[in-house]
mmCIF file of all heavy atoms in Angstrom:
data_model
loop_
_atom_site.group_PDB
_atom_site.id
_atom_site.type_symbol
_atom_site.label_atom_id
_atom_site.label_comp_id
_atom_site.label_asym_id
_atom_site.label_seq_id
_atom_site.Cartn_x
_atom_site.Cartn_y
_atom_site.Cartn_z
ATOM 1 N N LYS V 3 15.451 -42.450 85.600
ATOM 2 C CA LYS V 3 16.662 -43.202 85.332
ATOM 3 C C LYS V 3 16.544 -44.642 85.827
ATOM 4 O O LYS V 3 17.017 -45.563 85.195
ATOM 5 C CB LYS V 3 17.882 -42.530 85.985
ATOM 6 C CG LYS V 3 18.305 -41.269 85.284
ATOM 7 C CD LYS V 3 19.531 -40.713 85.915
ATOM 8 C CE LYS V 3 19.975 -39.446 85.209
ATOM 9 N NZ LYS V 3 21.168 -38.877 85.764
ATOM 10 N N SER V 4 15.912 -44.839 86.968
ATOM 11 C CA SER V 4 15.769 -46.196 87.497
ATOM 12 C C SER V 4 14.845 -47.040 86.620
ATOM 13 O O SER V 4 15.063 -48.219 86.465
ATOM 14 C CB SER V 4 15.263 -46.160 88.934
ATOM 15 O OG SER V 4 13.952 -45.641 89.003
ATOM 16 N N ILE V 5 13.833 -46.408 86.033
ATOM 17 C CA ILE V 5 12.949 -47.148 85.123
ATOM 18 C C ILE V 5 13.719 -47.615 83.899
ATOM 19 O O ILE V 5 13.588 -48.755 83.467
ATOM 20 C CB ILE V 5 11.723 -46.298 84.747
ATOM 21 C CG1 ILE V 5 10.822 -46.096 85.962
ATOM 22 C CG2 ILE V 5 10.926 -46.934 83.616
ATOM 23 C CD1 ILE V 5 9.706 -45.105 85.774
ATOM 24 N N SER V 6 14.524 -46.730 83.322
ATOM 25 C CA SER V 6 15.284 -47.123 82.131
ATOM 26 C C SER V 6 16.334 -48.165 82.491
ATOM 27 O O SER V 6 16.620 -49.066 81.703
ATOM 28 C CB SER V 6 15.941 -45.908 81.483
ATOM 29 O OG SER V 6 16.963 -45.371 82.300
ATOM 30 N N LYS V 7 16.894 -48.095 83.705
ATOM 31 C CA LYS V 7 17.876 -49.103 84.120
ATOM 32 C C LYS V 7 17.200 -50.456 84.231
ATOM 33 O O LYS V 7 17.731 -51.467 83.820
ATOM 34 C CB LYS V 7 18.487 -48.687 85.465
ATOM 35 C CG LYS V 7 19.609 -49.627 85.892
ATOM 36 C CD LYS V 7 20.172 -49.243 87.234
ATOM 37 C CE LYS V 7 21.051 -48.048 87.099
ATOM 38 N NZ LYS V 7 21.797 -47.754 88.329
ATOM 39 N N TYR V 8 16.006 -50.495 84.811
ATOM 40 C CA TYR V 8 15.268 -51.751 84.892
ATOM 41 C C TYR V 8 14.922 -52.270 83.500
ATOM 42 O O TYR V 8 14.953 -53.462 83.256
ATOM 43 C CB TYR V 8 13.972 -51.592 85.684
ATOM 44 C CG TYR V 8 14.164 -51.273 87.160
ATOM 45 C CD1 TYR V 8 13.187 -50.608 87.866
ATOM 46 C CD2 TYR V 8 15.299 -51.650 87.849
ATOM 47 C CE1 TYR V 8 13.332 -50.324 89.219
ATOM 48 C CE2 TYR V 8 15.452 -51.382 89.186
ATOM 49 C CZ TYR V 8 14.472 -50.718 89.872
ATOM 50 O OH TYR V 8 14.628 -50.452 91.204
ATOM 51 N N LEU V 9 14.560 -51.358 82.609
ATOM 52 C CA LEU V 9 14.172 -51.768 81.252
ATOM 53 C C LEU V 9 15.296 -52.526 80.578
ATOM 54 O O LEU V 9 15.079 -53.574 79.984
ATOM 55 C CB LEU V 9 13.803 -50.521 80.433
ATOM 56 C CG LEU V 9 13.513 -50.779 78.958
ATOM 57 C CD1 LEU V 9 12.191 -51.512 78.802
ATOM 58 C CD2 LEU V 9 13.512 -49.474 78.183
ATOM 59 N N TYR V 10 16.526 -52.034 80.668
ATOM 60 C CA TYR V 10 17.637 -52.704 80.014
ATOM 61 C C TYR V 10 18.023 -54.005 80.696
ATOM 62 O O TYR V 10 18.489 -54.935 80.062
ATOM 63 C CB TYR V 10 18.833 -51.772 79.865
ATOM 64 C CG TYR V 10 18.558 -50.685 78.868
ATOM 65 C CD1 TYR V 10 18.417 -49.364 79.250
ATOM 66 C CD2 TYR V 10 18.378 -51.012 77.524
ATOM 67 C CE1 TYR V 10 18.137 -48.379 78.323
ATOM 68 C CE2 TYR V 10 18.083 -50.026 76.595
ATOM 69 C CZ TYR V 10 17.965 -48.716 76.987
ATOM 70 O OH TYR V 10 17.678 -47.755 76.078
ATOM 71 N N ASP V 11 17.804 -54.086 82.016
ATOM 72 C CA ASP V 11 18.020 -55.366 82.694
ATOM 73 C C ASP V 11 17.019 -56.392 82.193
ATOM 74 O O ASP V 11 17.376 -57.530 81.896
ATOM 75 C CB ASP V 11 17.902 -55.215 84.222
ATOM 76 C CG ASP V 11 19.188 -54.744 84.848
ATOM 77 O OD1 ASP V 11 20.268 -55.221 84.429
ATOM 78 O OD2 ASP V 11 19.129 -53.910 85.773
ATOM 79 N N TYR V 12 15.763 -55.983 82.089
ATOM 80 C CA TYR V 12 14.745 -56.901 81.587
ATOM 81 C C TYR V 12 14.994 -57.276 80.132
ATOM 82 O O TYR V 12 14.775 -58.420 79.738
ATOM 83 C CB TYR V 12 13.330 -56.322 81.766
ATOM 84 C CG TYR V 12 12.898 -56.264 83.204
ATOM 85 C CD1 TYR V 12 12.422 -55.074 83.765
ATOM 86 C CD2 TYR V 12 12.942 -57.397 84.019
ATOM 87 C CE1 TYR V 12 12.014 -55.021 85.081
ATOM 88 C CE2 TYR V 12 12.542 -57.345 85.341
ATOM 89 C CZ TYR V 12 12.087 -56.162 85.873
ATOM 90 O OH TYR V 12 11.681 -56.096 87.173
ATOM 91 N N LEU V 13 15.452 -56.327 79.342
ATOM 92 C CA LEU V 13 15.820 -56.616 77.952
ATOM 93 C C LEU V 13 16.965 -57.620 77.910
ATOM 94 O O LEU V 13 16.932 -58.561 77.119
ATOM 95 C CB LEU V 13 16.223 -55.321 77.218
ATOM 96 C CG LEU V 13 16.717 -55.508 75.787
ATOM 97 C CD1 LEU V 13 15.568 -55.942 74.882
ATOM 98 C CD2 LEU V 13 17.341 -54.220 75.284
ATOM 99 N N GLY V 14 17.954 -57.450 78.747
ATOM 100 C CA GLY V 14 19.062 -58.386 78.801
ATOM 101 C C GLY V 14 18.655 -59.778 79.243
ATOM 102 O O GLY V 14 19.115 -60.779 78.691
ATOM 103 N N ILE V 15 17.785 -59.834 80.231
ATOM 104 C CA ILE V 15 17.290 -61.134 80.680
ATOM 105 C C ILE V 15 16.504 -61.824 79.566
ATOM 106 O O ILE V 15 16.713 -63.014 79.280
ATOM 107 C CB ILE V 15 16.409 -60.978 81.952
ATOM 108 C CG1 ILE V 15 17.289 -60.538 83.128
ATOM 109 C CG2 ILE V 15 15.668 -62.268 82.276
ATOM 110 C CD1 ILE V 15 16.501 -60.065 84.340
ATOM 111 N N ALA V 16 15.634 -61.072 78.929
ATOM 112 C CA ALA V 16 14.816 -61.650 77.833
ATOM 113 C C ALA V 16 15.708 -62.076 76.675
ATOM 114 O O ALA V 16 15.558 -63.182 76.136
ATOM 115 C CB ALA V 16 13.778 -60.639 77.374
ATOM 116 N N GLY V 17 16.639 -61.218 76.259
ATOM 117 C CA GLY V 17 17.515 -61.536 75.136
ATOM 118 C C GLY V 17 18.397 -62.752 75.407
ATOM 119 O O GLY V 17 18.504 -63.652 74.575
ATOM 120 N N SER V 18 18.977 -62.804 76.592
ATOM 121 C CA SER V 18 19.821 -63.948 76.940
ATOM 122 C C SER V 18 19.014 -65.233 77.084
ATOM 123 O O SER V 18 19.474 -66.305 76.695
ATOM 124 C CB SER V 18 20.578 -63.669 78.239
ATOM 125 O OG SER V 18 21.471 -62.590 78.041
ATOM 126 N N SER V 19 17.812 -65.110 77.641
ATOM 127 C CA SER V 19 16.958 -66.310 77.791
ATOM 128 C C SER V 19 16.522 -66.855 76.445
ATOM 129 O O SER V 19 16.585 -68.070 76.211
ATOM 130 C CB SER V 19 15.730 -65.969 78.632
ATOM 131 O OG SER V 19 16.107 -65.566 79.922
ATOM 132 N N ILE V 20 16.085 -65.959 75.564
ATOM 133 C CA ILE V 20 15.653 -66.402 74.234
ATOM 134 C C ILE V 20 16.858 -66.989 73.462
ATOM 135 O O ILE V 20 16.714 -67.993 72.770
ATOM 136 C CB ILE V 20 14.990 -65.256 73.462
ATOM 137 C CG1 ILE V 20 13.667 -64.872 74.144
ATOM 138 C CG2 ILE V 20 14.736 -65.622 72.002
ATOM 139 C CD1 ILE V 20 13.070 -63.587 73.633
ATOM 140 N N CYS V 21 17.993 -66.375 73.606
ATOM 141 C CA CYS V 21 19.203 -66.910 72.964
ATOM 142 C C CYS V 21 19.527 -68.287 73.487
ATOM 143 O O CYS V 21 19.865 -69.181 72.702
ATOM 144 C CB CYS V 21 20.375 -65.964 73.192
ATOM 145 S SG CYS V 21 21.899 -66.540 72.451
ATOM 146 N N LEU V 22 19.443 -68.486 74.787
ATOM 147 C CA LEU V 22 19.721 -69.772 75.367
ATOM 148 C C LEU V 22 18.743 -70.849 74.856
ATOM 149 O O LEU V 22 19.168 -71.948 74.476
ATOM 150 C CB LEU V 22 19.659 -69.697 76.892
ATOM 151 C CG LEU V 22 20.083 -70.918 77.679
ATOM 152 C CD1 LEU V 22 21.546 -71.263 77.400
ATOM 153 C CD2 LEU V 22 19.875 -70.687 79.169
ATOM 154 N N ILE V 23 17.460 -70.501 74.794
ATOM 155 C CA ILE V 23 16.474 -71.425 74.255
ATOM 156 C C ILE V 23 16.790 -71.725 72.792
ATOM 157 O O ILE V 23 16.748 -72.884 72.359
ATOM 158 C CB ILE V 23 15.064 -70.845 74.415
ATOM 159 C CG1 ILE V 23 14.691 -70.806 75.905
ATOM 160 C CG2 ILE V 23 14.038 -71.678 73.630
ATOM 161 C CD1 ILE V 23 13.455 -69.978 76.205
ATOM 162 N N HIS V 24 17.123 -70.698 72.037
ATOM 163 C CA HIS V 24 17.461 -70.863 70.615
ATOM 164 C C HIS V 24 18.672 -71.799 70.462
ATOM 165 O O HIS V 24 18.673 -72.702 69.646
ATOM 166 C CB HIS V 24 17.765 -69.506 69.993
ATOM 167 C CG HIS V 24 18.491 -69.548 68.710
ATOM 168 N ND1 HIS V 24 17.890 -69.915 67.525
ATOM 169 C CD2 HIS V 24 19.780 -69.276 68.409
ATOM 170 C CE1 HIS V 24 18.782 -69.845 66.553
ATOM 171 N NE2 HIS V 24 19.941 -69.473 67.069
ATOM 172 N N CYS V 25 19.701 -71.570 71.271
ATOM 173 C CA CYS V 25 20.916 -72.379 71.166
ATOM 174 C C CYS V 25 20.686 -73.837 71.583
ATOM 175 O O CYS V 25 21.291 -74.735 71.008
ATOM 176 C CB CYS V 25 22.026 -71.776 72.027
ATOM 177 S SG CYS V 25 22.660 -70.220 71.387
ATOM 178 N N LEU V 26 19.815 -74.054 72.534
ATOM 179 C CA LEU V 26 19.532 -75.408 72.964
ATOM 180 C C LEU V 26 18.584 -76.122 71.997
ATOM 181 O O LEU V 26 18.689 -77.335 71.782
ATOM 182 C CB LEU V 26 18.929 -75.403 74.374
ATOM 183 C CG LEU V 26 19.888 -75.018 75.483
ATOM 184 C CD1 LEU V 26 19.107 -74.836 76.801
ATOM 185 C CD2 LEU V 26 20.999 -76.010 75.641
ATOM 186 N N ALA V 27 17.651 -75.373 71.396
ATOM 187 C CA ALA V 27 16.666 -75.999 70.506
ATOM 188 C C ALA V 27 17.189 -76.233 69.099
ATOM 189 O O ALA V 27 16.725 -77.148 68.410
ATOM 190 C CB ALA V 27 15.407 -75.137 70.467
ATOM 191 N N THR V 28 18.136 -75.431 68.638
ATOM 192 C CA THR V 28 18.605 -75.545 67.255
ATOM 193 C C THR V 28 19.146 -76.926 66.928
ATOM 194 O O THR V 28 18.786 -77.486 65.886
ATOM 195 C CB THR V 28 19.643 -74.431 66.962
ATOM 196 O OG1 THR V 28 19.016 -73.176 67.129
ATOM 197 C CG2 THR V 28 20.179 -74.557 65.557
ATOM 198 N N PRO V 29 20.002 -77.526 67.738
ATOM 199 C CA PRO V 29 20.487 -78.857 67.394
ATOM 200 C C PRO V 29 19.353 -79.907 67.290
ATOM 201 O O PRO V 29 19.382 -80.767 66.425
ATOM 202 C CB PRO V 29 21.453 -79.230 68.529
ATOM 203 C CG PRO V 29 21.860 -77.929 69.103
ATOM 204 C CD PRO V 29 20.697 -77.012 68.934
ATOM 205 N N VAL V 30 18.358 -79.776 68.151
ATOM 206 C CA VAL V 30 17.245 -80.708 68.119
ATOM 207 C C VAL V 30 16.440 -80.516 66.814
ATOM 208 O O VAL V 30 16.096 -81.505 66.130
ATOM 209 C CB VAL V 30 16.321 -80.515 69.348
ATOM 210 C CG1 VAL V 30 15.065 -81.355 69.253
ATOM 211 C CG2 VAL V 30 17.081 -80.799 70.623
ATOM 212 N N VAL V 31 16.186 -79.270 66.448
ATOM 213 C CA VAL V 31 15.458 -78.985 65.221
ATOM 214 C C VAL V 31 16.232 -79.471 63.998
ATOM 215 O O VAL V 31 15.664 -80.079 63.093
ATOM 216 C CB VAL V 31 15.137 -77.468 65.107
ATOM 217 C CG1 VAL V 31 14.578 -77.115 63.757
ATOM 218 C CG2 VAL V 31 14.167 -77.057 66.214
ATOM 219 N N MET V 32 17.527 -79.241 63.981
ATOM 220 C CA MET V 32 18.349 -79.671 62.854
ATOM 221 C C MET V 32 18.371 -81.207 62.759
ATOM 222 O O MET V 32 18.320 -81.741 61.666
ATOM 223 C CB MET V 32 19.783 -79.153 62.994
ATOM 224 C CG MET V 32 19.851 -77.641 62.945
ATOM 225 S SD MET V 32 19.261 -77.000 61.415
ATOM 226 C CE MET V 32 20.780 -76.447 60.739
#
Side-chain angles (χ1 to χ4, degrees):
K3 287 184 180 181
S4 65
I5 291 171
S6 68
K7 185 182 284 190
Y8 294 154
L9 174 72
Y10 290 112
D11 276 320
Y12 290 127
L13 176 69
I15 292 168
S18 295
S19 298
I20 293 169
C21 179
L22 186 62
I23 292 167
H24 163 75
C25 290
L26 292 172
T28 299
V30 174
V31 171
M32 297 298 251

